């Protein structure tokens, strides 16, 4: 019985290695095409995003990889929504008193304009979560046009959210302080992840 174990184990390991290599090449080739056709997509961001998902190692074709990309976008959008919710709720920070090493609660108020922007972003990302769930269903059913429309609205949500913070600099009713968006990186990630999904859909349709 034991004489059969090692050959089978070797075959299994070779199969895993071959599958992993195939998935890696698929990711690299796809990200190269995405970054070549869309200047908003960075190749390194694309490959690192796919490599962060265990599902990517199981992909054997472009369609499967496209589903992984949409799920990555969904995770990002959901996470960003929770982050915004946390920012709006977190009006108290615990600070250590250096004199007696005690922890005290101090209220920190958000800039009114920032709070208004965050509320707008909360609404945008809440809608995006629902939209992307439908996009997943459309994609699985090969309704690529419908999936494209839904994902395009997610890109709009990320850009509209970020632009809201910038509008303060051009507004007549400016806040006292320069407004800095706390969501810049998250909005950029959402934009790129969605752009990757859209790029893959375009490849599948051609």
């Amino acid at each position: 019985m034991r004489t059969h174990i090692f050959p089978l184990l070797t075959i299994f390991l070779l199969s895993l290695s071959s599958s992993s290599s195939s998935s890696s090449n698929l990711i690299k080739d796809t990200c190269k095409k995405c970054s070549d056709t869309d200047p908003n997509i960075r190749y390194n961001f694309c490959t690192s995003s796919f490599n962060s998902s265990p599902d990517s190692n199981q992909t054997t074709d472009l369609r499967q990889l496209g589903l992984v990309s949409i799920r990555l976008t969904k995770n990002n959008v959901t996470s960003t929504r929770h982050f915004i919710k946390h920012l709006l709720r977190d009006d108290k920070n615990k600070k250590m008193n250096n004199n007696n090493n005690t922890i005290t609660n101090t209220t920190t108020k958000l800039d009114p304009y920032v709070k208004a922007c965050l509320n707008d972003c909360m609404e945008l990302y809440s809608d995006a979560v629902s939209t992307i769930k439908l996009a997943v269903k459309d994609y699985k059913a090969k309704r690529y046009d419908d999936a494209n429309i839904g994902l395009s609205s997610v890109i709009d949500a990320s850009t509209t959210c970020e632009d809201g913070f910038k509008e303060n600099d051009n507004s007549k009713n400016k806040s006292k302080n320069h407004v800095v968006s706390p969501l810049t990186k998250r909005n950029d990630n959402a934009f790129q992840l969605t752009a990757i999904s859209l790029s893959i859909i375009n490849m599948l349709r051609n």
Side-chain angles (χ1 to χ4, degrees), residues 49-104:
S49 295
F50 279 123
N51 289 329
S52 70
S53 172
D55 292 338
S56 296
N57 295 327
Q58 309 300 322
T59 57
T60 58
D61 57 40
L62 184 62
R63 188 166 184 275
Q64 291 178 356
L65 192 63
L67 183 58
V68 172
S69 74
I70 297 176
R71 285 173 174 166
L72 284 169
T73 306
K74 179 175 175 288
N75 292 340
N76 172 276
V77 168
T78 303
S79 173
T80 299
R81 180 182 177 278
H82 286 310
F83 181 72
I84 296 170
K85 190 175 183 180
H86 171 74
L87 289 177
L88 289 170
R89 283 184 174 180
D90 190 21
D91 59 352
K92 289 185 177 181
N93 290 325
K94 290 184 177 180
K95 288 187 177 180
M96 180 69 73
N97 188 314
N98 293 327
N99 294 326
N100 54 17
N101 291 326
T102 58
I103 297 176
T104 57

Side-chain angles (χ1 to χ4, degrees), residues 105-123:
N105 287 331
T106 58
T107 301
T108 56
K109 293 183 178 180
L110 287 170
D111 179 279
Y113 188 84
V114 171
K115 187 173 183 179
C117 289
L118 287 174
N119 279 317
D120 289 341
C121 291
M122 182 68 178
E123 183 176 349

Side-chain angles (χ1 to χ4, degrees), residues 99-158:
N99 294 326
N100 54 17
N101 291 326
T102 58
I103 297 176
T104 57
N105 287 331
T106 58
T107 301
T108 56
K109 293 183 178 180
L110 287 170
D111 179 279
Y113 188 84
V114 171
K115 187 173 183 179
C117 289
L118 287 174
N119 279 317
D120 289 341
C121 291
M122 182 68 178
E123 183 176 349
L124 287 165
Y125 272 95
S126 294
D127 290 342
V129 170
S130 300
T131 299
I132 206 163
K133 287 180 180 178
L134 291 175
V136 170
K137 293 181 180 179
D138 288 331
Y139 183 87
K140 287 181 176 180
K142 297 185 179 181
R143 294 191 294 267
Y144 295 134
D145 288 344
D146 292 335
N148 187 291
I149 293 172
L151 289 169
S152 295
S153 71
V154 175
I155 276 192
D156 291 340
S158 65

Side-chain angles (χ1 to χ4, degrees), residues 19-38:
S19 175
S20 177
S21 176
S22 176
S23 298
S24 177
N25 290 334
L26 176 63
I27 290 171
K28 291 177 181 178
D29 291 343
T30 302
C31 287
K32 181 68 167 59
K33 291 177 182 177
C34 288
S35 59
D36 285 346
T37 56
D38 189 341

